[in-house]
Every structure is written in structure tokens, then in C-alpha cells.
Amino acid sequence: MYDHINKNISRYVTFYPEELEIFDSLTAFEKVPKKTIMLHEGETCNFEAYVVKGCLRKYYIDANGFEVILQFAIEDSWIGDISFSIYETKPSKVFIETLEDCELLVFSPEKKEELYTKVPKTERVFRILMMRNLAVTQERLFNTISKTATEKYLEFIAQYPTIPQRVAQHYIASYLGISPEFVSKIRTRLAKG
Amino acid sequence: MYDHINKNISRYVTFYPEELEIFDSLTAFEKVPKKTIMLHEGETCNFEAYVVKGCLRKYYIDANGFEVILQFAIEDSWIGDISFSIYETKPSKVFIETLEDCELLVFSPEKKEELYTKVPKTERVFRILMMRNLAVTQERLFNTISKTATEKYLEFIAQYPTIPQRVAQHYIASYLGISPEFVSKIRTRLAKG
DNA sequence: CGCGACGTTGATTTGCCTCAACGATTGTGG
DNA sequence: CCACAATCGTTGAGGCAAATCAACGTCGCG
């Protein structure tokens, strides 16, 4: 049950077994069915989740009503609203939705703060997780600005080869900032070589 | 000298005077003249800096040789390569250059780790700084994908009103992912109303 | 002064979007 | 279990926002 999450956080910091026990005890296991919107825009986000099994997406809705996907989360990754903290309970601008039946290990803001107090080392873990997330987001911003739609598509399927098999194609379009029709045209163009 | 940086980090965590003294003692004050490239692509970044005075930019160079600006840093902000750490000494993909004569307070990776050991609370500070940075970057990614060039330009000058007075216009174009010519056209269009 | 970097303006091109129509697939209620 | 609706991916025609290319005026600096 907790093996994977313990391995995940131990990549960055070494923990004693007692510390991992505290860590695990502060999470809540949740099964969430497919197509559940766990966080609506305007709500305050009251969770941060590690994905044991399943697939989720986090997205904005723009001024014209179009969705822009910020993140896909699959096994062994984290998802939550960034401004997640008991001190900063701003209403969220994003939606989080399950795309498959999911098994999650969830922190509430209070438990997260309790964790920081009881096992201060975890500050370091989440600092490093943030850093890696930021690095990925910066890289993606750079790609969005400087690459063509075809390049973006090719790099996406190279970097996340399993995602196209799991989610609808128009979600990938929304992630890449391309119209669904144009993704289709890119694919036929590539198939013809 | 250290007043500003101490206020900056005390926004997120409360420090004892002794802790702030340790913090300050681990930084190095540096004056860097205008147009100095402090970090080249391929080098490992050996600093993280708080800007006391001046203005810098961080940028990528894309496959066609075009610069894409990721960040402007001005007074009371932080700049450095994200993967900055003694454990992760990957070659950097970004350049960091001063646009004005600068006064900086600089951490080396070693001093930063020393800081984390001597004043563990600082993990929390830099976790929160990362988080805010990530939130801003996500917002910008969303804008880049879903807004028109004119909207991006207007939001930029609204959000960073002092930057256009300090840096060349084509740098703003590079930050927004717009051609310099088109920024010029947007401006004349807006001026005519 | 003269050179190079910068901003402007206009003509032309293009990558991608929008709109619309059409099969294929999924799922849902009777 | 079928019928019908809804969702999804594909394809084509047409349009537009922004890029590219090129020429020119201006400013700051060595």
C-alpha cells in the first residue's frame, strides 16, 4: 500500500522507518471513480494527492470557455492546487478531474502542516518536488513559445508514451495548446511520412 | 545592506535575530556590471542570487538561435538556475545576464546546503518561494496558450509596469513569445485607440 | 562623426484556427 | 438488447492572427 509513496519521497531524503510511519499515518486512502471533478474553480483546494493508480487532469477554463490542461497525473506522481497551504486558502482557479478510476493517498492542509512539524525533513522533500515541477513547467513554457505544433506533438508522445493510450486525443490537444482538428491533421501527415 | 533580504524571507517564516545573522553571513555581496553574462548554457550554475539593485534576465536559446526570456529579475526578487543544488550539478540550459549594473547577494551551492543544515527553517522559505514561482509560471503558461498577443502585452505592462521603462522592447517581445515587429504594431494600434 | 542596435512601417506569406459535414464508437434509457 | 443520442476523430474549405522579409529613420556610443 505505502511502498510506492515511501519510495517516492525517499528518492530525495533518507527517512527512518518511524518517520515513514508518521508520514503514512497522516495520509488518507481514497478511491475515486472516473470522471469525478474533485476540485472546482472557485473552491479552496483541500487536498494534495499522490496517485497510486489511475489518471487525472488539472485544467483552467479560459475567457472563451475553452479548457487548457496544465497537468496529467498518473501512477507515482503528485497532483493538487499549487497554492495549497493552510495559510493561503485562496479560491482555486483550476479544476481537477479523474479520467480513470483512481486510488489516491491524500493530504489535507492540516495534516500536511502536522507533517512538517512532526517530520521537518519533509519540507525538503516538498521543496525538491516543487523545484522539479517548476523545471518541467519552464521547459514546457519554452516549448510552447518556440516550437511548432508538430514538434510539440512529437515531443509529447516521446516524453509521455503511455498517456496517448489512456486519454482522449482532444485532451492532448488541450495540453499542447493546439486545436483537436489540427492534432488529427498532424497525425495523418506523420502517418503518410 | 541585509534589511531587504531579511524582510523578504521573513514574509514566510519568523526568524530569530541569530538565525538571520547566520543567513546573512552565508551570502556574498557582489557588484556586477551591465551586460555581464553570469551563466552560460552548458555551465553548471554555481549561484543563486537575491537582487538588491539592478535588473537581470534569464533565457533559453531555441533550435533556430532565437532567445526566449524566461524571467526578468528586479529589486527584491530571486534569480538562479532551478536545478541549483550540490547534489544535482547538471549543465544548465539557460543563460543569465545582467541588463543593468547590479548589486546582488549570492549563495553558492555549498553555503546554501550549510544554511539548510544550520537553519532548517530556510527549507520552508525556499519551498514557499518555489511554490510561488511555480504558480506564476503556470499562470504564464496558461496566458501564453490562451490569450492573443495584444492581451498578453497589456497584461504584461499592467503586471510589471516598471519593466518596459528599464529594458529594450524586443526583450519584452521575447518574454511574451511575440515578434518584435508585432509588439511595435500592437503599440501603434493601441495608441490610435 | 559613423557605426551598430533598436524601433517602426508596409507587403507578403503561413501556420494554425474556425466552421461544417461526415463516419465511427460509446453509452444510455426504454 | 436495440435505438438513438452524444462524444469523438477525421477531412476539407476558407479565413485570420501573427511571422517573415525588407526598407528606413533614429538614437546612443565608441
Side-chain angles (χ1 to χ4, degrees), chain A residues 125-169:
Chain A
V125 172
F126 286 102
R127 178 176 63 76
I128 292 170
L129 283 173
M130 279 295 160
M131 213 174 70
R132 302 176 78 90
N133 200 336
L134 178 56
V136 170
T137 307
Q138 279 190 357
E139 181 86 15
R140 192 175 151 201
L141 177 63
F142 171 70
N143 286 338
T144 302
I145 289 178
S146 70
K147 308 219 164 152
T148 65
T150 307
E151 288 169 339
K152 286 180 225 178
Y153 177 76
L154 285 173
E155 286 187 19
F156 180 82
I157 58 172
Q159 195 171 1
Y160 305 102
T162 63
I163 305 241
Q165 301 157 18
R166 297 173 70 166
V167 311
Q169 192 168 296

Side-chain angles (χ1 to χ4, degrees), chain A residues 23 26-27 46-48 78 84 105-109 112 115:
Chain A
F23 185 95
L26 291 169
T27 67
N46 60 350
F47 69 94
E48 176 157 11
W78 294 84
F84 177 90
L105 288 170
V106 177
F107 284 100
S108 69
K112 189 98 176 282
L115 175 65

Side-chain angles (χ1 to χ4, degrees), chain A:
Chain A
M1 180 76 222
Y2 293 107
D3 278 7
H4 290 93
I5 197 171
N6 289 347
K7 239 176 231 163
N8 183 285
I9 63 168
S10 299
R11 272 179 216 144
Y12 313 112
V13 174
T14 309
F15 289 98
Y16 296 111
E18 312 88 81
E19 292 172 329
L20 289 176
E21 265 172 47
I22 296 174
F23 185 95
D24 297 343
S25 73
L26 291 169
T27 67
F29 180 73
E30 270 188 45
K31 290 199 175 204
V32 183
K34 193 177 180 166
K35 301 244 176 190
T36 309
I37 298 187
M38 298 179 64
L39 172 71
H40 283 86
E41 186 186 17
E43 294 176 355
T44 49
C45 184
N46 60 350
F47 69 94
E48 176 157 11
Y50 170 85
V51 183
V52 178
K53 194 159 181 9
C55 180
L56 306 90
R57 68 181 179 126
K58 178 165 74 177
Y59 61 99
Y60 276 85
I61 294 191
D62 76 12
N64 304 316
F66 285 95
E67 296 173 359
V68 177
I69 295 182
L70 282 177
Q71 185 196 351
F72 291 112
I74 57 170
E75 287 79 14
D76 198 36
S77 59
W78 294 84
I79 191 164
D81 189 14
I82 224 49
S83 54
F84 177 90
S85 144
I86 51 171
Y87 300 115
E88 259 186 277
T89 48
K90 289 182 200 157
S92 172
K93 293 179 172 182
V94 301
F95 295 76
I96 294 178
E97 181 190 3
T98 55
L99 296 176
E100 301 173 354
D101 293 341
C102 285
E103 296 175 14
L104 307 172
L105 288 170
V106 177
F107 284 100
S108 69
E110 294 77 16
K111 297 281 182 181
K112 189 98 176 282
E113 287 300 324
E114 197 179 332
L115 175 65
Y116 288 142
T117 309
K118 287 188 178 166
V119 190
K121 276 185 205 173
T122 52
E123 291 270 8
R124 185 176 182 86
V125 172
F126 286 102
R127 178 176 63 76
I128 292 170
L129 283 173
M130 279 295 160
M131 213 174 70
R132 302 176 78 90
N133 200 336
L134 178 56
V136 170
T137 307
Q138 279 190 357
E139 181 86 15
R140 192 175 151 201
L141 177 63
F142 171 70
N143 286 338
T144 302
I145 289 178
S146 70
K147 308 219 164 152
T148 65
T150 307
E151 288 169 339
K152 286 180 225 178
Y153 177 76
L154 285 173
E155 286 187 19
F156 180 82
I157 58 172
Q159 195 171 1
Y160 305 102
T162 63
I163 305 241
Q165 301 157 18
R166 297 173 70 166
V167 311
Q169 192 168 296
H170 71 273
Y171 287 143
I172 295 171
S174 160
Y175 181 92
L176 295 175
I178 308 172
S179 72
E181 295 93 330
F182 199 66
V183 168
S184 174
K185 283 166 195 178
I186 288 169
R187 283 165 51 84
T188 56
R189 221 179 286 166
L190 290 172
K192 285 173 189 162

Side-chain angles (χ1 to χ4, degrees), chain B residues 5-159:
Chain B
I5 198 172
N6 289 345
K7 239 176 230 164
N8 183 286
I9 62 168
S10 299
R11 272 179 216 143
Y12 312 113
V13 174
T14 309
F15 289 98
Y16 296 112
E18 311 88 81
E19 292 172 328
L20 289 176
E21 265 172 49
I22 297 174
F23 185 95
D24 297 343
S25 72
L26 291 169
T27 67
F29 180 73
E30 270 188 43
K31 288 199 175 202
V32 183
K34 195 174 180 168
K35 301 244 177 192
T36 308
I37 298 188
M38 298 179 65
L39 171 71
H40 283 86
E41 187 185 17
E43 295 176 352
T44 49
C45 184
N46 60 351
F47 69 93
E48 176 158 11
Y50 170 85
V51 184
V52 178
K53 194 157 181 11
C55 180
L56 306 90
R57 66 180 179 127
K58 179 164 74 178
Y59 60 100
Y60 277 87
I61 292 190
D62 76 12
N64 304 316
F66 285 96
E67 297 173 358
V68 177
I69 296 183
L70 282 176
Q71 185 196 352
F72 292 113
I74 57 169
E75 287 79 12
D76 198 35
S77 59
W78 294 84
I79 192 164
D81 190 15
I82 225 50
S83 55
F84 178 89
S85 144
I86 50 173
Y87 301 114
E88 259 185 278
T89 49
K90 289 182 198 155
S92 172
K93 294 179 171 180
V94 301
F95 295 76
I96 294 178
E97 180 190 3
T98 55
L99 296 176
E100 301 174 354
D101 294 340
C102 284
E103 296 175 15
L104 307 173
L105 288 170
V106 177
F107 284 99
S108 69
E110 295 78 16
K111 298 280 183 182
K112 189 97 177 281
E113 287 300 323
E114 196 180 332
L115 175 66
Y116 288 143
T117 309
K118 289 187 177 165
V119 191
K121 276 185 205 172
T122 53
E123 290 271 8
R124 186 178 182 84
V125 172
F126 286 101
R127 178 176 64 75
I128 293 171
L129 284 174
M130 279 295 161
M131 212 174 72
R132 301 175 78 89
N133 201 335
L134 178 55
V136 169
T137 306
Q138 280 191 358
E139 181 86 15
R140 192 175 151 199
L141 177 63
F142 171 71
N143 286 339
T144 301
I145 290 179
S146 69
K147 308 219 166 154
T148 66
T150 307
E151 287 169 339
K152 287 180 222 176
Y153 177 76
L154 285 173
E155 285 186 20
F156 180 83
I157 58 171
Q159 195 171 1

